[in-house]
Amino acid sequence: MLMAVRQVVDKSLAPLASEHDRLGRVPEETLAELADLGVFAALVPPAHGGLGLDAPTWTMVIEEVARAWAAPALLAVAQGAVAAALGITGGDSARQLGALARAEALAAVVPIPADRARREGEEYVLDGQLPLSHAAQATLLALTLGDGAAWWLVPTSMAGVGVVAAAPDLGLRGASATAIALHGVRLPVSQASSSAPRVLGLTDVGIGAVAVGVGQAAFEAALRYSQQRSTFGKAICQHQAVQLMLADMATRLTAARLLVGDGAHHVHEDGKAARRARAFAVDAAVAVTLDAMRIHGGYGYTTEFSVERYYRDAAALLAMAPAPAAR
């Protein structure tokens, strides 16, 4: 599965990433190709036409996509988290799994802070505007209480719900900057799902996997450049200072990958492991992409090389504040 994803990503996704990232949208044909490959169906149960992969394997798939382009990888994270929770919930909600697996419907996970939700009798009332970087193309919103108490899957066309444009961000340009506007949205307590911690946990390890993929792409770019660029009669990869920097980058990424895998393995038991993995992986991606830019020298700041996009994307992942820890 990973080899198939890598082949498609390297052949079809990577060459288009820089161009479409500037346009601020993931093309429909890219979404269709990833759907055909099974990326969006990775966590969908086989009974509903999915691959039924385990969470650690899913994070490796997400990393491969993010290695080429972070924007569609973020979409796949939301699809996977919502699909996995729906598979547990069952009932009528499970009917939407097929549309999620085929990318006919795109989901976005919206953590709701405690001060934006209040309970009135048998209803929750949601108000406020929440920034979210990957909701421009979403048709379904997984409104998730930050304490892990409940979540609802609602259409973006629901009364009181709106997806509005936000100020453009420096990173993750392919996932257009948006905000979710909630105006007196009332949701019955009886429709709340108890699988909210699973949604939040999978989202955390998924974003951690995106960070590892972005960092891996930056590391590979820096390694290639250091082998091609020469100073004082030899390739800069032969200078000890550059060798130490590359070794530190590889070490950070290996540790981050292992933590993400561990967080995914324990995501059903403890959301804290997923939160730790996300925090470490994103910090590692910021450090690795910054070192990659330094190895490129002045070229690292130009759009001619993808390393500047990797650095912007890593910084944008850092700016995506996680929801309060689930109970």
Side-chain angles (χ1 to χ4, degrees):
M1 179 66 189
L2 291 174
M3 290 181 63
V5 172
R6 171 165 288 201
Q7 289 175 356
V8 171
V9 162
D10 287 344
K11 181 180 179 180
S12 302
L13 193 58
L16 302 175
S18 294
E19 176 187 353
H20 287 290
D21 193 68
R22 288 192 291 268
L23 297 178
R25 192 177 181 85
V26 180
E28 298 296 331
E29 54 269 26
T30 298
L31 294 176
E33 190 167 16
L34 292 176
D36 290 342
L37 192 59
V39 170
F40 297 129
L43 293 181
V44 174
H48 296 278
L51 301 180
L53 299 181
D54 57 83
T57 305
W58 172 69
T59 60
M60 290 188 279
V61 172
I62 296 297
E63 179 186 336
E64 287 297 327
V65 178
R67 196 173 54 83
W69 191 10
L74 276 179
L75 293 178
V77 168
Q79 295 288 97
V82 173
L86 285 178
I88 291 178
T89 304
D92 293 338
S93 299
R95 297 175 183 174
Q96 296 171 305
L97 285 172
L100 290 170
R102 297 186 296 272
E104 295 171 358
L106 293 178
V109 178
V110 187
I112 308 295
D115 60 347
R116 305 298 174 87
R118 67 182 186 275
R119 184 164 178 172
E120 293 184 357
E122 294 303 310
E123 291 182 322
Y124 278 101
V125 182
L126 310 181
D127 279 292
Q129 186 160 304
L130 308 168
L132 195 66
S133 62
H134 59 287
Q137 294 173 263
T139 55
L140 295 171
L141 300 177
L143 303 177
T144 310
L145 296 187
D147 61 0
W151 77 285
W152 301 264
L153 189 62
V154 303
T156 54
S157 58
M158 181 180 182
V161 177
V163 180
V164 298
D169 203 346
L170 288 177
L172 295 174
R173 291 176 178 171
S176 303
T178 56
I180 307 300
L182 304 173
H183 302 289
V185 178
R186 292 181 174 271
L187 296 168
V189 174
S190 60
Q191 293 183 7
S193 172
S194 60
S195 56
R198 185 180 178 93
V199 176
L200 294 175
L202 285 171
T203 300
D204 282 335
V205 295
I207 291 176
V210 173
V212 174
V214 171
Q216 182 66 32
F219 171 74
E220 292 173 1
L223 180 60
R224 285 194 302 270
Y225 182 81
S226 70
Q227 293 168 337
Q228 297 166 0
R229 179 79 166 97
S230 298
T231 59
F232 304 104
K234 61 180 179 181
I236 63 174
C237 65
Q238 297 179 26
H239 293 286
Q240 188 178 46
V242 175
Q243 291 175 347
L244 292 174
M245 189 178 294
L246 289 169
D248 285 343
M249 293 163 69
T251 302
R252 288 178 186 271
L253 288 173
T254 300
R257 185 175 293 111
L258 291 172
L259 273 176
V260 168
D262 180 72
H265 183 71
H266 295 287
V267 73
H268 313 308
E269 310 161 10
D270 182 13
K272 294 179 181 178
R275 186 60 50 87
R276 287 194 298 267
R278 170 178 173 167
F280 186 91
V282 171
D283 286 346
V286 172
V288 168
T289 54
L290 179 58
D291 283 344
M293 288 182 66
R294 289 169 174 161
I295 289 176
H296 279 74
Y299 289 119
Y301 297 87
T302 68
T303 56
E304 180 182 354
F305 291 83
S306 296
V307 69
E308 62 87 27
R309 171 165 58 85
Y310 302 144
Y311 176 71
R312 288 189 290 101
D313 288 349
L317 291 173
L318 184 65
M320 292 172 58
R327 293 183 302 186

